[in-house]
Amino acid sequence: MFKGILIEKDEQGYRATLKDIDDAALPDGNVTVRVSHSTLNYKDGLAITGKSPVVRKFPLVPGIDLAGVVETSSHPDYKAGDAVVLNGWGVGETHWGGLAQRARLNGDWLVPLPSAFTPAQAMAIGTAGYTAMLCVMALERHGVTPDKGEVLVTGAAGGVGSVAVAILAKLGYQVAAVTGRPQEAAYLQSLGAATVLDRAEFASPGKPLAKEHWAGAVDTVGSHTLANVCASTKYRGTVAACGLAGGMDLPATVAPFILRGVTLAGVDSVMCPRADRLEAWQRLAGDLDVSKLDLITQQIGLSDAISIAHKLIEGQVRGRVVVDVNA
């Protein structure tokens, strides 16, 4: 038996509860991991609260991230005792995830835990930080370098935004952080933001083209915010889009793309190829100031995850939430 959060849906309704789960209930997989830490991402909050149909198979353990140690393996790349990390691949959506003390998985989904990080630090980064690194890599691939000008990060006080600000600042970019929580200005400046802007400046319908301002941007919000960011991006600038906290719509025109050559680069972390995952985690080991993780992170026990998930969806959580599944 092991403890885990189990989401069930039946005639009694949709519910997430912390309970003891029999090992025999674990799904198929060629690697069994003894989980030490997981996280709460926005997607996990949606899954636990049922606010969006994230979970597509019941019953299911949520948690799109995990870090732990291999217990048993028939996969050629892993043996008992190996420290591993998992992000995405539908885990926590269609396959049992990391918010439990044990997980059984496809070994192809795992990556070795970088020696620069403890399991707790790896989960302080989690899918949010790994996605932020993928966004930075997308900006770099499209020629956005620190000398090109200011870079914008929307949803900056959230998990992806916080890590993106920290990475970009360490790499020498001048970062403008957008948030709807003005009380977080000092926090964002401590991560390296040079400027903190009110999200109200971006959240309403704007002009098809605005004054050129940003060399690049990381957008976690979508909707009018993304449209306004694209409209105010400099000639041949790039916007890396990875989130939809403000909505799935994109009420924009083609003007920024055909008149200024702006690139809108989509960033997906769930099905991202293994080579890019390995590169992102290697980059994080060098390009993220590990000391910033303490500023970004709060740690909770598994028993607190359900209540914190509700706060996360309500926009009441700053930065990253690490879950010690054994606490």
Side-chain angles (χ1 to χ4, degrees):
M1 303 289 286
F2 61 95
K3 291 191 179 298
I5 293 174
L6 194 66
I7 297 176
E8 299 170 281
K9 184 180 181 182
D10 51 30
E11 64 277 1
Q12 299 176 39
Y14 186 104
R15 61 196 180 278
T17 53
L18 176 62
K19 55 175 57 179
D20 291 325
I21 304 171
D22 195 303
D23 285 6
L26 284 168
D28 291 338
N30 52 16
V31 179
T32 301
V33 177
R34 185 172 69 254
V35 181
S36 64
H37 295 81
S38 184
T39 69
L40 279 180
N41 297 282
Y42 190 76
K43 187 179 285 186
D44 300 320
L46 292 173
I48 290 171
T49 62
K51 295 289 186 182
S52 182
V54 169
V55 177
R56 296 187 291 277
K57 184 177 180 181
F58 300 91
L60 184 129
V61 172
I64 65 174
D65 289 327
L66 65 83
V69 175
V70 173
E71 283 192 333
T72 62
S73 172
S74 59
H75 190 281
D77 292 344
Y78 299 100
K79 63 184 185 305
D82 287 347
V84 293
V85 175
L86 179 137
N87 311 106
W89 292 118
V91 170
E93 300 176 70
T94 59
H95 189 96
W96 284 28
L99 286 169
Q101 293 172 328
R102 188 167 281 112
R104 186 168 293 140
L105 309 149
N106 181 339
D108 292 342
W109 301 340
L110 301 171
V111 298
L113 173 69
S115 59
F117 305 123
T118 66
Q121 289 172 332
M123 290 296 94
I125 296 167
T127 283
Y130 145 69
T131 302
M133 190 71 246
L134 291 174
C135 288
V136 173
M137 289 160 57
L139 296 183
E140 292 174 339
R141 281 197 298 269
H142 288 90
V144 180
T145 50
D147 61 295
K148 295 293 177 63
E150 205 169 5
V151 172
L152 190 74
V153 177
T154 67
V160 176
S162 293
V163 180
V165 170
I167 294 171
L168 288 164
K170 185 176 180 186
L171 290 173
Y173 291 86
Q174 185 176 13
V175 182
V178 180
T179 182
R181 294 178 264 175
Q183 69 273 21
E184 302 292 10
Y187 161 73
L188 292 167
Q189 288 165 345
S190 72
L191 295 179
T195 309
V196 179
L197 303 174
D198 191 330
R199 74 176 173 202
E201 298 179 30
F202 300 85
S204 299
K207 298 178 180 179
L209 280 179
K211 182 179 179 180
E212 294 181 57
H213 202 128
W214 319 111
V218 173
D219 178 67
T220 70
V221 179
S223 192
H224 289 293
T225 296
L226 177 54
N228 287 322
V229 171
C230 290
S232 55
T233 296
K234 289 181 177 182
Y235 184 77
R236 292 222 163 175
T238 296
V239 179
C242 65
L244 46 66
M248 288 188 66
D249 59 322
L250 181 55
T253 74
V254 298
F257 313 114
I258 65 173
L259 298 179
R260 290 185 182 160
V262 169
T263 295
L264 179 56
V267 175
D268 164 63
S269 61
V270 177
M271 304 304 291
C272 180
R274 178 176 172 80
D276 289 346
R277 291 171 181 268
L278 291 171
E279 181 183 353
W281 276 101
Q282 288 164 0
R283 289 286 305 274
L284 283 161
D287 295 340
L288 177 63
D289 184 347
V290 176
S291 68
K292 300 291 187 186
L293 291 176
D294 290 338
L295 299 173
I296 294 171
T297 307
Q298 62 171 302
Q299 184 164 298
I300 64 172
L302 192 57
S303 60
D304 297 317
I306 294 173
S307 62
I308 298 297
H310 285 270
K311 293 182 179 180
L312 178 65
I313 293 302
E314 293 164 3
Q316 298 176 11
V317 174
R318 179 178 82 182
R320 301 282 297 127
V321 179
V322 173
V323 182
D324 182 342
V325 300
N326 299 300

Coordinates of all heavy atoms in Angstrom, one line a residue, residues 4-36:
G4 N -1.6 8.2 -1.8 CA -1.7 9.0 -3.0 C -3.0 9.7 -3.1 O -4.0 9.4 -2.4
I5 N -3.1 10.8 -3.9 CA -4.3 11.4 -4.2 C -5.0 10.7 -5.4 O -4.3 10.5 -6.4 CB -4.1 12.9 -4.6 CG1 -3.6 13.7 -3.3 CG2 -5.4 13.6 -5.1 CD1 -3.2 15.1 -3.6
L6 N -6.2 10.3 -5.2 CA -6.9 9.6 -6.3 C -8.2 10.4 -6.7 O -9.0 10.8 -5.9 CB -7.4 8.2 -5.8 CG -7.8 7.2 -6.8 CD1 -6.6 6.8 -7.7 CD2 -8.4 6.0 -6.2
I7 N -8.2 10.6 -8.0 CA -9.4 11.3 -8.6 C -10.4 10.2 -9.1 O -10.0 9.4 -9.9 CB -9.0 12.3 -9.7 CG1 -8.1 13.4 -9.1 CG2 -10.2 12.9 -10.4 CD1 -7.6 14.3 -10.2
E8 N -11.6 10.3 -8.7 CA -12.6 9.4 -9.1 C -13.8 10.1 -9.7 O -14.1 11.3 -9.3 CB -13.0 8.5 -8.0 CG -11.9 7.7 -7.4 CD -12.2 7.0 -6.1 OE1 -12.2 7.7 -5.0 OE2 -12.6 5.8 -6.1
K9 N -14.5 9.5 -10.6 CA -15.7 10.1 -11.2 C -16.7 8.9 -11.4 O -16.5 8.0 -12.1 CB -15.4 10.8 -12.5 CG -16.6 11.5 -13.1 CD -16.3 12.2 -14.4 CE -17.4 12.9 -15.0 NZ -17.1 13.5 -16.3
D10 N -17.9 9.1 -10.7 CA -18.9 8.0 -10.8 C -20.3 8.7 -10.5 O -20.4 9.9 -10.5 CB -18.6 6.9 -9.9 CG -18.3 7.3 -8.4 OD1 -18.8 8.4 -8.0 OD2 -17.5 6.6 -7.7
E11 N -21.2 7.9 -10.1 CA -22.6 8.4 -9.8 C -22.6 9.3 -8.6 O -23.5 10.2 -8.4 CB -23.6 7.2 -9.6 CG -23.3 6.4 -8.3 CD -22.2 5.3 -8.6 OE1 -21.7 5.2 -9.8 OE2 -21.9 4.5 -7.7
Q12 N -21.5 9.3 -7.8 CA -21.4 10.2 -6.6 C -20.8 11.5 -7.0 O -20.7 12.4 -6.2 CB -20.6 9.5 -5.5 CG -21.2 8.2 -5.0 CD -20.3 7.6 -4.0 OE1 -19.6 8.3 -3.2 NE2 -20.2 6.3 -4.0
G13 N -20.3 11.6 -8.3 CA -19.7 12.9 -8.7 C -18.2 12.8 -8.9 O -17.6 11.7 -8.9
Y14 N -17.6 13.9 -9.1 CA -16.1 14.1 -9.3 C -15.5 14.4 -8.0 O -15.9 15.4 -7.4 CB -15.9 15.2 -10.4 CG -14.5 15.3 -10.9 CD1 -14.1 14.9 -12.1 CD2 -13.5 16.0 -10.1 CE1 -12.8 15.0 -12.6 CE2 -12.2 16.2 -10.5 CZ -11.9 15.7 -11.8 OH -10.6 15.9 -12.2
R15 N -14.4 13.7 -7.6 CA -13.8 14.0 -6.3 C -12.4 13.6 -6.3 O -12.0 12.7 -7.0 CB -14.6 13.3 -5.2 CG -14.6 11.8 -5.3 CD -15.6 11.2 -4.4 NE -15.6 9.7 -4.5 CZ -16.2 9.0 -5.5 NH1 -16.8 9.7 -6.4 NH2 -16.1 7.7 -5.5
A16 N -11.6 14.3 -5.6 CA -10.2 14.0 -5.3 C -10.0 13.8 -3.9 O -10.3 14.7 -3.0 CB -9.3 15.1 -5.8
T17 N -9.4 12.7 -3.5 CA -9.2 12.3 -2.1 C -7.9 11.7 -1.9 O -7.3 11.1 -2.7 CB -10.3 11.4 -1.5 OG1 -10.3 10.2 -2.4 CG2 -11.7 12.0 -1.5
L18 N -7.3 12.0 -0.7 CA -6.1 11.3 -0.3 C -6.4 10.0 0.4 O -7.2 9.9 1.3 CB -5.3 12.2 0.7 CG -4.0 11.7 1.3 CD1 -3.0 11.4 0.2 CD2 -3.4 12.6 2.4
K19 N -5.8 8.9 -0.1 CA -6.1 7.6 0.4 C -5.0 6.6 0.3 O -4.0 6.9 -0.4 CB -7.4 7.0 -0.3 CG -7.3 7.0 -1.8 CD -8.6 6.3 -2.3 CE -9.9 6.9 -2.0 NZ -11.0 6.3 -2.5
D20 N -5.1 5.5 0.9 CA -4.2 4.4 0.8 C -4.6 3.6 -0.5 O -5.7 3.2 -0.7 CB -4.2 3.5 2.0 CG -3.6 4.2 3.2 OD1 -2.7 4.9 3.1 OD2 -4.1 3.9 4.3
I21 N -3.6 3.3 -1.3 CA -3.8 2.7 -2.6 C -3.0 1.4 -2.7 O -1.8 1.4 -2.3 CB -3.4 3.6 -3.8 CG1 -4.2 4.9 -3.7 CG2 -3.6 2.9 -5.1 CD1 -3.7 6.0 -4.7
D22 N -3.6 0.3 -3.1 CA -2.9 -1.0 -3.2 C -1.9 -0.9 -4.4 O -2.2 -0.4 -5.5 CB -3.9 -2.0 -3.5 CG -3.4 -3.4 -3.2 OD1 -2.4 -3.8 -3.9 OD2 -3.9 -4.2 -2.4
D23 N -0.7 -1.5 -4.2 CA 0.3 -1.6 -5.2 C -0.3 -2.2 -6.5 O 0.1 -1.9 -7.6 CB 1.5 -2.4 -4.8 CG 2.4 -1.6 -3.8 OD1 2.0 -0.5 -3.4 OD2 3.4 -2.1 -3.4
A24 N -1.2 -3.1 -6.4 CA -1.8 -3.9 -7.5 C -2.6 -2.9 -8.4 O -2.8 -3.3 -9.6 CB -2.7 -5.0 -7.0
A25 N -2.9 -1.8 -7.9 CA -3.7 -0.8 -8.7 C -2.9 0.0 -9.7 O -3.4 0.7 -10.6 CB -4.5 0.1 -7.8
L26 N -1.5 -0.1 -9.5 CA -0.7 0.7 -10.4 C -0.8 0.3 -11.8 O -1.0 -0.9 -12.1 CB 0.8 0.5 -10.0 CG 1.3 1.3 -8.7 CD1 2.6 0.7 -8.3 CD2 1.4 2.8 -9.0
P27 N -0.8 1.3 -12.7 CA -0.9 0.9 -14.2 C 0.3 0.2 -14.7 O 1.3 0.1 -14.1 CB -1.1 2.3 -14.8 CG -0.4 3.3 -13.9 CD -0.6 2.7 -12.5
D28 N 0.2 -0.2 -16.0 CA 1.3 -0.8 -16.6 C 2.5 0.1 -16.8 O 2.3 1.3 -17.0 CB 0.9 -1.4 -18.0 CG -0.1 -2.5 -17.9 OD1 -0.1 -3.2 -16.8 OD2 -0.9 -2.8 -18.9
G29 N 3.7 -0.4 -16.9 CA 4.9 0.3 -17.1 C 6.1 -0.5 -16.9 O 6.0 -1.5 -16.2
N30 N 7.2 -0.1 -17.5 CA 8.4 -1.0 -17.3 C 9.4 -0.4 -16.3 O 10.5 -0.9 -16.1 CB 9.1 -1.2 -18.7 CG 9.4 0.1 -19.4 OD1 9.4 1.2 -18.8 ND2 9.7 0.0 -20.7
V31 N 9.0 0.7 -15.6 CA 9.8 1.2 -14.5 C 8.9 1.6 -13.4 O 7.9 2.3 -13.6 CB 10.6 2.5 -15.0 CG1 11.4 3.0 -13.8 CG2 11.5 2.2 -16.1
T32 N 9.2 1.2 -12.2 CA 8.5 1.6 -11.0 C 9.4 2.5 -10.2 O 10.6 2.2 -9.9 CB 8.1 0.4 -10.1 OG1 7.3 -0.5 -10.9 CG2 7.3 0.8 -8.9
V33 N 8.9 3.7 -9.8 CA 9.6 4.7 -9.1 C 9.1 4.9 -7.7 O 7.9 5.0 -7.5 CB 9.6 6.0 -9.9 CG1 10.3 7.1 -9.2 CG2 10.2 5.8 -11.3
R34 N 10.0 5.0 -6.8 CA 9.6 5.4 -5.4 C 9.7 6.9 -5.4 O 10.8 7.5 -5.5 CB 10.6 4.8 -4.4 CG 10.2 5.1 -2.9 CD 11.0 4.3 -1.9 NE 12.4 4.8 -1.9 CZ 13.4 4.1 -2.5 NH1 13.2 3.0 -3.1 NH2 14.6 4.6 -2.4
V35 N 8.6 7.6 -5.4 CA 8.5 9.0 -5.6 C 8.9 9.7 -4.3 O 8.5 9.3 -3.2 CB 7.1 9.5 -6.0 CG1 7.0 11.0 -6.2 CG2 6.7 8.8 -7.3
S36 N 9.7 10.7 -4.4 CA 10.0 11.5 -3.2 C 9.3 12.9 -3.2 O 8.8 13.4 -2.2 CB 11.5 11.7 -3.0 OG 12.1 12.5 -4.1

